């Protein structure tokens, strides 16, 4: 027996009908992004490893253990499959001098790669749609991001996603808080799990983010970052909350929300749901005012977010309308007995007139062809037999609802099909 191949663990194939839901979501996303003036950027799947190490930070989950990094055997360069999009998007903007004309709103979409333990809602290749607002300092930019995501939930008919928000302050404020937090957890070091003990030295703020239920009380009693915020971050946060309140967007301040990447400062937020089990964060984002400069640009305030598309689809699939998504259904199925150039050309004519046409390739009995036509979901069958060819007409038969089969001209067929569109 020959060994058969399987997709790599944690990396998923998509095929109908699931692929139809993906396409539908992508269409909704495009319209939504257009409505806010965001413009698409596309960057490579592979970047220099240093880009991610420098921007995401060495003491983060991603850089410590999740990156697919490899040495390019041809020139010895260390490369990494992109684990997220923000670093690449900023790299792109800097490399092509896109920030000289003032602020920019960019979006991207596509696969990201992280070497995680595969489970529901957590994959090794997953997909994000992200946006980056580069060059915007004010809390109105943060507010617009959040209104924008709320608008998307409305467009998608999602109701049970809640906004959690926090301010993690400036890097100085965080450094002060870090010392306090470290001292606190050191007093309770015996209670920490392995992950948290490691983070105690490298990135104590991440302990707050731990999903280990046994640490819940310890974390709840920890000193809070809000008491160590710098004045500017504090004012920014208050202004943002006021804007959200006036806009009628409910939020929940989560003092333990820190997000796992080093480049964030001030505002961080997540949209979470209880309807997906353990992996309930569908969207995460925040402000990263230092990143552009850190990657070699002029100081440029910025904010953005990324959504996990698998998780969004997991929510949408709970909706019967999304379950029933069929993708594009043909208007017409063309049956033909002789596999003639005429049948092929007629199918082209129908398509050029704007119809979706499935041509029956391979011949066979009309009975068998009709079975395929029914299964295709097409609204009409067009039958091209010996008699039709001699008379240069076609037989049109409605496949759904009532209606007789009739011999008509091409123009008449088009008129009838369109009239019952
Ligand atoms: P988590 O705490 O769940 O690991 P994260 O902080 O690592 O999330 P981000 O880097 O903020 O996640 O990515 C933004 C979004 O991308 C997440 O909210 C989630 O929806 C999605 N996401 C992240 N990692 C994965 C993954 N391995 N599989 C599927 N979706 C993911
Ligand atoms: Mg993660």
């Amino acid at each position: 027996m020959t060994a058969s191949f399987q997709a790599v663990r944690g990396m998923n194939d998509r095929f109908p009908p699931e692929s139809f839901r993906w396409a539908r979501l992508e269409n909704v996303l495009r319209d939504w992004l257009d409505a806010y003036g965001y413009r698409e950027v596309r960057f490579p799947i592979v970047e220099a490893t240093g880009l991610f190490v420098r921007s995401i930070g060495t003491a983060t989950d991603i850089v410590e253990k999740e990156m697919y990094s490899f040495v390019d055997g041809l020139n010895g360069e260390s490369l990494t499959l992109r684990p997220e999009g923000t670093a690449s998007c900023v790299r792109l903007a800097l490399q092509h001098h896109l920030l000289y004309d003032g602020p920019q709103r960019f979006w991207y979409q596509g696969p990201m790669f992280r070497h995680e333990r595969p489970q529901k809602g957590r994959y090794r290749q997953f997909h994000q749609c992200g946006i980056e607002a580069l060059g915007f300092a004010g809390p109105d930019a943060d507010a617009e991001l959040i209104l924008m995501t709320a608008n998307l939930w409305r467009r998608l008919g999602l109701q049970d996603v809640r906004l959690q928000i926090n301010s993690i302050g400036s890097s100085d404020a965080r450094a002060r808080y870090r010392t306090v937090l470290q001292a606190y957890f050191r007093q309770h070091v015996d209670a920490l799990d392995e992950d948290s003990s490691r983070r105690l030295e490298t990135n104590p703020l991440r302990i707050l983010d731990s999903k280990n239920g046994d640490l819940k009380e310890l974390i709840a009693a920890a000193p809070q970052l809000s008491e160590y915020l710098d004045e500017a971050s504090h004012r920014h946060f208050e202004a943002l909350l006021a804007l959200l309140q006036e806009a009628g967007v409910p939020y929940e301040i989560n003092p333990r929300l820190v997000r796992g990447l080093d480049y964030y400062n001030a505002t961080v937020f997540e949209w979470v749901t209880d309807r997906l089990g353990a992996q309930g964060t569908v969207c995460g984002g925040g402000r990263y005012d230092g990143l552009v400069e850190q990657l070699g640009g002029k100081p440029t305030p910025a904010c953005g977010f990324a959504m996990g598309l698998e998780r969004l689809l997991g929510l949408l699939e709970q909706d019967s309308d999304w379950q029933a998504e069929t993708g594009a259904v043909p208007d017409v199925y063309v049956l033909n007995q002789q596999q003639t150039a005429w049948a092929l050309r007629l199918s082209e004519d129908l398509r050029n007139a704007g119809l979706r046409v499935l041509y029956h390739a391979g011949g066979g009995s009309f009975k068998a062809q009709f079975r395929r036509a029914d299964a295709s979901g097409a609204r009409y069958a067009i039958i091209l037999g010996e008699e039709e060819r001699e008379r240069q007409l076609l037989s049109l038969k409605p496949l759904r609802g009532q209606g007789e089969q009739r011999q008509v001209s091409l123009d008449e067929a088009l008129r009838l099909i369109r009239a019952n569109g």
Side-chain angles (χ1 to χ4, degrees):
M1 211 177 84
T2 355
S4 62
F5 290 105
Q6 303 263 308
V8 174
R9 193 165 127 78
M11 305 198 180
N12 299 307
D13 298 317
R14 305 289 175 207
F15 46 90
E18 197 195 0
S19 52
F20 300 144
R21 297 193 281 270
W22 278 82
R24 174 168 166 185
L25 175 59
E26 284 160 6
N27 288 337
V28 175
L29 291 173
R30 255 171 214 284
D31 286 345
W32 165 69
L33 292 156
D34 284 347
Y36 285 83
Y38 275 82
R39 297 187 300 157
E40 186 179 7
V41 290
R42 300 188 185 208
F43 36 80
I45 296 223
V46 175
E47 300 266 3
T49 301
L51 173 67
F52 301 118
V53 173
R54 187 164 345 143
S55 52
I56 296 168
T58 46
T60 58
D61 280 356
I62 293 180
V63 173
E64 269 179 352
K65 54 185 189 194
E66 294 174 359
M67 292 205 303
Y68 280 92
S69 299
F70 59 97
V71 174
D72 180 339
L74 294 178
N75 60 9
E77 222 182 324
S78 176
L79 302 176
T80 293
L81 300 187
R82 60 186 192 191
E84 60 111 47
T86 302
S88 303
C89 185
V90 169
R91 198 264 312 136
L92 173 152
L94 289 175
Q95 183 173 339
H96 304 285
H97 314 293
L98 303 182
L99 299 177
Y100 285 127
D101 302 334
Q104 297 286 348
R105 289 176 162 92
F106 291 133
W107 72 272
Y108 59 84
Q109 193 231 339
M112 306 294 163
F113 302 84
R114 298 185 194 176
H115 199 273
E116 306 206 65
R117 194 172 66 77
Q119 54 194 290
K120 187 169 176 284
R122 199 176 281 293
Y123 309 101
R124 291 181 172 172
Q125 174 174 319
F126 63 101
H127 296 74
Q128 285 185 339
C129 173
I131 70 121
E132 314 295 348
L134 306 175
F136 299 90
D140 60 334
D142 313 37
E144 192 191 26
L145 289 190
I146 287 166
L147 288 175
M148 186 174 170
T149 39
N151 178 286
L152 179 63
W153 314 145
R154 260 198 308 285
R155 285 173 187 240
L156 293 171
L158 295 178
Q159 274 158 358
D160 305 327
V161 270
R162 302 187 316 274
L163 174 63
Q164 301 212 331
I165 191 165
N166 192 22
S167 176
I168 58 170
S170 66
S171 54
D172 284 352
R174 264 196 320 284
R176 268 180 280 132
Y177 174 63
R178 186 192 146 107
T179 315
V180 176
L181 196 66
Q182 223 161 20
Y184 169 81
F185 282 123
R186 275 198 185 121
Q187 288 171 349
H188 304 279
V189 72
D190 294 341
L192 295 179
D193 58 17
E194 196 192 316
D195 246 9
S196 300
S197 308
R198 185 168 42 83
R199 285 181 180 146
L200 181 57
E201 300 313 321
T202 56
N203 195 353
L205 268 68
R206 274 296 265 171
I207 301 176
L208 300 176
D209 213 21
S210 168
K211 278 156 190 132
N212 182 349
D214 296 344
L215 298 180
K216 216 172 169 164
E217 280 172 32
L218 186 64
I219 289 170
Q224 295 203 353
L225 179 49
S226 55
E227 286 156 38
Y228 299 85
L229 275 196
D230 52 295
E231 184 53 30
S233 297
H234 180 73
R235 275 202 312 273
H236 186 98
F237 195 45
E238 291 300 313
L240 169 59
L241 296 181
L243 286 169
L244 292 179
Q245 219 142 36
E246 276 185 63
V249 180
Y251 58 80
E252 193 180 308
I253 297 177
N254 177 354
R256 285 168 299 281
L257 180 66
V258 290
R259 312 254 322 114
L261 298 86
D262 273 7
Y263 50 64
Y264 285 114
N265 70 288
T267 315
V268 292
F269 65 88
E270 288 188 352
W271 288 90
V272 297
T273 176
D274 299 324
R275 286 170 50 196
L276 287 176
Q279 314 309 332
T281 304
V282 291
C283 173
R287 189 157 271 290
Y288 48 93
D289 293 327
L291 183 60
V292 175
E293 188 178 11
Q294 200 186 346
L295 293 180
K298 294 206 184 79
T300 307
C303 51
F305 60 75
M307 298 177 292
L309 299 189
E310 280 80 0
R311 293 188 194 174
L312 261 188
L313 277 158
L315 278 179
L316 293 167
E317 277 160 9
Q318 297 175 12
D319 178 328
S320 56
D321 179 50
W322 281 77
Q323 281 163 19
E325 180 62 43
T326 56
V329 171
D331 298 304
V332 176
Y333 193 95
V334 175
L335 295 79
N336 63 99
Q337 226 160 13
Q338 271 89 27
Q339 296 142 276
T340 56
W342 176 54
L344 284 166
R345 200 186 55 237
L346 199 118
S347 301
E348 283 297 306
D349 290 344
L350 292 164
R351 293 186 188 106
N352 291 338
L355 297 183
R356 291 193 289 248
V357 180
L358 200 50
Y359 163 83
H360 182 94
S365 73
F366 272 139
K367 191 166 167 230
Q369 294 193 30
F370 262 115
R371 268 203 302 276
R372 307 292 296 181
D374 277 327
S376 76
R379 292 187 294 125
Y380 284 92
I382 283 180
I383 304 111
L384 303 177
E386 204 47 50
E387 188 190 328
E388 284 86 356
R389 184 143 76 119
E390 268 161 30
R391 303 182 59 187
Q392 287 292 298
L393 291 174
L394 40 93
S395 290
L396 181 70
K397 182 173 194 285
L399 290 175
R400 289 191 260 152
Q402 298 301 309
E404 295 288 290
Q405 178 170 322
R406 312 166 42 178
Q407 278 195 359
V408 293
S409 67
L410 176 61
D411 284 347
E412 179 66 359
L414 285 171
R415 198 187 61 73
L416 287 166
I417 293 167
R418 287 190 183 124
N420 295 305

